[in-house]
Amino acid sequence: GYADSEIPLYSWGGGLAVRKSVEDAVTWDFDTLIEDTVFMWFAVENGASFEVVETRFRNQSPLSLTEMFEQRRRWLVGTIRSEEYLPLGHQLLLTVRNVVWGFSPILLVLTTPLLLSPIRLPELLPLEVVTWVLLALTLVWILGGIRYYDYRAQALPVVLLSPLVILFHALGAMWGFLLPPQTFHATPKSTDAEANDSLE
C-alpha cells in the first residue's frame, strides 16, 4: 500500500533507506512504541518525499510465535497511541485497519455458527452484518497481496495461507487491545553463530 498512499499507514524500519539530511531534520526522538512509522509520518508531513523500490531486504524476523505476537501487539497499540500525528482522514483509515486487524478472527469464530444456522434471529442481524463487513475488508487485504504479485504464480501461497497468516497476526493485535504494553519491547536478534548452530 506504500505506493498508493500519500502517507503510509505503517513503516518497517528494516526496509527504510533514509537520507541523512531528512534524518537530521526529523530525528528519531519520539515518545512512541513505533518509532519507524512515526518517523515516516513526520518526514512526509514536513515535506519529505518517498519512493517504493522493488527490491529485497535481509532482516531478522521474530524468533518465535510468542515474539511475533508481542511485536504485533506493540505495533497495534503504538499506532493507536500515535495516530494524532496523522491527518484526520488517515486516522479514520488507520482505525478501520486496526479494528479489522484485531477483531476479524474472533468475530468469525463467534458468528460462523450463526451464519451456517438455518434459523435467523433478528436480534443477531447487526452482528452478522458487522461480520460480513469485516470479512469483506479482510478480502480486500488479500486481493491487495495478489495484486502486489501481479497475479503471478507466487500469489497462490498468498491466497492459500491468508487465513492462517491473518489469524496469527490478529492474535497479537487482539492481545494489544486487551492488554496494552506499557514499555518498548525489541524483537531479539539471533547472531550468526546461533544461526550456524541451528543448521548443524
Side-chain angles (χ1 to χ4, degrees):
Y2 265 71
D4 299 327
S5 178
E6 180 183 345
I7 303 175
L9 289 184
Y10 78 96
S11 296
W12 164 54
L16 290 178
V18 184
R19 287 187 187 276
K20 187 177 185 305
S21 57
V22 174
E23 189 173 41
D24 290 343
V26 178
T27 78
W28 295 90
D29 188 19
F30 306 113
D31 183 19
T32 178
L33 296 173
I34 50 167
E35 77 295 338
D36 40 11
T37 294
V38 173
F39 174 88
M40 180 65 123
W41 292 349
F42 264 81
V44 174
E45 284 277 42
N46 286 278
S49 61
F50 67 93
E51 182 178 347
V52 179
V53 179
E54 290 289 339
T55 188
R56 297 182 182 216
F57 290 85
R58 180 183 297 274
N59 207 316
Q60 175 68 60
S61 62
L63 301 177
S64 66
L65 283 178
T66 302
E67 289 295 335
M68 190 191 81
F69 295 154
E70 181 68 49
Q71 184 186 62
R72 271 56 179 176
R73 174 190 182 210
R74 175 171 58 82
W75 287 355
L76 182 283
V77 175
T79 57
I80 292 174
R81 291 178 181 169
S82 302
E83 65 180 12
E84 62 184 301
Y85 298 128
L86 285 171
L88 180 59
H90 280 70
Q91 289 185 34
L92 295 175
L93 187 58
L94 189 66
T95 299
V96 171
R97 194 284 303 262
N98 287 338
V99 170
V100 173
W101 187 14
F103 289 106
S104 291
I106 192 171
L107 273 176
L108 181 60
V109 170
L110 291 175
T111 57
T112 294
L114 299 176
L115 298 176
L116 297 178
S117 171
I119 302 173
R120 288 289 179 262
L121 299 175
E123 297 83 3
L124 298 176
L125 181 60
L127 184 59
E128 291 186 30
V129 170
V130 169
T131 299
W132 283 113
V133 168
L134 289 176
L135 287 176
L137 290 171
T138 301
L139 181 62
V140 168
W141 289 111
I142 294 172
L143 293 175
I146 296 172
R147 176 173 167 256
Y148 175 80
Y149 285 105
D150 291 329
Y151 308 97
R152 298 190 299 267
Q154 291 96 320
L156 184 58
V158 174
V159 176
L160 297 179
L161 296 176
S162 285
L164 188 62
V165 171
I166 289 170
L167 174 63
F168 282 160
H169 281 254
L171 287 175
M174 190 167 59
W175 184 16
F177 274 120
L178 298 175
L179 191 64
Q182 299 303 317
T183 58
F184 186 89
H185 177 83
T187 302
K189 305 295 187 286
S190 65
T191 64
D192 290 340
E194 290 172 341
N196 290 333
D197 289 341
S198 66
L199 294 175
E200 294 176 356

